[in-house]
Amino acid sequence: MSAHTDTMLYLDGVSVAFDGFKAINNLAIIVQPAEMLAIIGPNGAGKTTMMDIITGKTRPDTGQVLFDGRTDLTRLDEAAIANLGIGRKFQKPTVFESHTVWDNLEMALKKPRGIFSTLFYAASDNDVARITEILETVRLISRKDELAANLSHGQKQWLEIGMLLAQDPKLLLVDEPVAGMTDSETEETAKLLRKISQTRSVVVVEHDMSFVRELGSRVVCLAEGSVLAEGSLDQVSANPVVIERYLGR
Ligand SMILES: Nc1ncnc2c1ncn2[C@@H]1O[C@H](COP(=O)(O)OP(=O)(O)OP(=O)(O)O)[C@@H](O)[C@H]1O
Ligand SMILES: [Mg+2]
């Protein structure tokens, strides 16, 4: 049995070129179950492209991309990958503004989408308990009856994270979640991602180093499509090459 069967995400030898330019170059990344990994690195390092490869939006030219130790993601399309339990948070929130916070979460719950369930659906006790738990995790319990349109930018981001949680993902990918957030929203976001990562794997891409510090997770610095350094934030940020190519710019 190979060594990566107990990993949640396993990338090895992954490369992709766009018009001859290698955006991802022999990339190797591992994320364990219930582990949070922060990814840092300069603009154009390939951080978003790496997420595109994991979610099936971009096909790698070479390399292995395995989910949950066994599923080859390079053979699946985006919908199939989402159904496996990989949730992705894009930068711009896409909540339903004219619905309440509660209704947004209720709509996001994983349930059969047949005509019968659509016509006769009523939230079960189990759904109510799950929505309540998600509202607590994403710090929106006191805003549950508010229209999503009336939330702050940060709260909309949290609601969208909540909508991803309603899909019960095993792996959550979050690209620059705190861009545009206030300092206190940024701090709360670190706390809620830490909580989520107690039971799910989470990959967070961010440029905000104080936020990355609050995540308290293992850090990988990407540059030119490869891993430049990895370890704790202290280890990575003391690395002279990381300082030269990223932090010291
Ligand atoms: N679909 C595409 N077609 C052509 N080039 C692309 C495509 N996607 C990404 N690239 C290029 O690949 C490189 C890596 O881009 P990527 O968006 O992954 O960087 P990033 O690390 O997310 O940067 P940032 O921190 O600015 O978000 C860039 O040079 C980008 O222009
Ligand atoms: Mg990016």
Side-chain angles (χ1 to χ4, degrees):
M1 196 170 272
S2 44
H4 47 71
T5 48
D6 57 353
T7 60
M8 187 53 68
L9 184 66
Y10 178 92
L11 273 69
D12 193 35
V14 175
S15 298
V16 71
F18 300 113
D19 300 322
F21 169 75
K22 273 211 168 177
I24 296 289
N25 189 3
N26 196 22
L27 180 63
I29 296 239
I30 287 178
V31 184
Q32 303 292 347
E35 184 195 29
M36 181 147 57
L37 175 67
I39 308 221
I40 63 172
N43 298 116
K47 304 180 299 295
T48 299
T49 305
M50 183 202 78
M51 290 192 170
D52 290 344
I53 289 172
I54 296 164
T55 56
K57 192 176 172 205
T58 296
R59 289 254 173 262
D61 299 327
T62 59
Q64 239 187 329
V65 184
L66 294 180
F67 175 63
D68 210 358
R70 56 180 184 275
T71 309
D72 178 358
L73 297 181
T74 66
R75 293 171 186 280
L76 300 175
D77 66 20
E78 284 185 83
I81 290 172
N83 280 332
L84 283 175
I86 299 183
R88 180 177 189 176
K89 163 90 187 68
F90 289 91
Q91 203 167 321
K92 200 170 170 288
T94 51
V95 300
F96 297 102
E97 303 251 340
S98 59
H99 290 265
T100 64
V101 167
W102 182 278
D103 287 348
N104 267 276
L105 289 173
E106 199 170 287
M107 289 185 283
L109 275 186
K110 209 176 212 171
K111 61 176 62 77
R113 302 250 183 251
I115 180 79
F116 183 84
S117 59
T118 311
L119 285 176
F120 299 101
Y121 175 73
S124 68
D125 290 354
N126 188 35
D127 289 346
V128 169
R130 280 202 56 213
I131 294 170
T132 305
E133 189 195 343
I134 292 167
L135 283 168
E136 279 161 4
T137 301
V138 299
R139 287 147 167 79
L140 290 174
I141 196 90
S142 66
R143 312 296 311 269
K144 69 182 171 62
D145 299 320
E146 193 67 69
L147 290 182
N150 297 335
L151 298 179
S152 72
H153 168 73
Q155 289 170 329
K156 283 180 191 170
Q157 301 280 22
W158 299 343
L159 176 55
E160 194 171 17
I161 291 172
M163 290 162 74
L164 290 171
L165 290 178
Q167 300 284 318
D168 201 18
K170 290 180 175 170
L171 170 65
L172 201 58
L173 308 172
V174 221
D175 201 351
E176 303 197 30
V178 301
M181 282 191 187
T182 65
D183 287 352
S184 73
E185 285 174 341
T186 298
E187 255 174 63
E188 289 299 311
T189 303
K191 280 189 205 154
L192 74 86
L193 289 174
R194 286 211 308 262
K195 174 159 189 222
I196 291 167
S197 69
Q198 289 172 356
T199 54
R200 304 165 200 276
S201 302
V202 181
V203 177
V204 188
V205 167
E206 252 304 336
H207 289 287
D208 180 332
M209 285 306 123
S210 57
F211 169 72
V212 172
R213 180 163 296 286
E214 286 161 18
L215 291 178
S217 70
R218 186 163 66 88
V219 175
V220 163
C221 180
L222 289 192
E224 295 173 11
S226 312
V227 174
L228 193 60
E230 63 182 300
S232 68
L233 181 61
D234 284 337
Q235 289 166 337
V236 170
S237 54
N239 183 308
V241 189
V242 174
I243 294 170
E244 187 196 319
R245 309 255 300 265
Y246 181 47
L247 296 173
R249 291 165 315 162

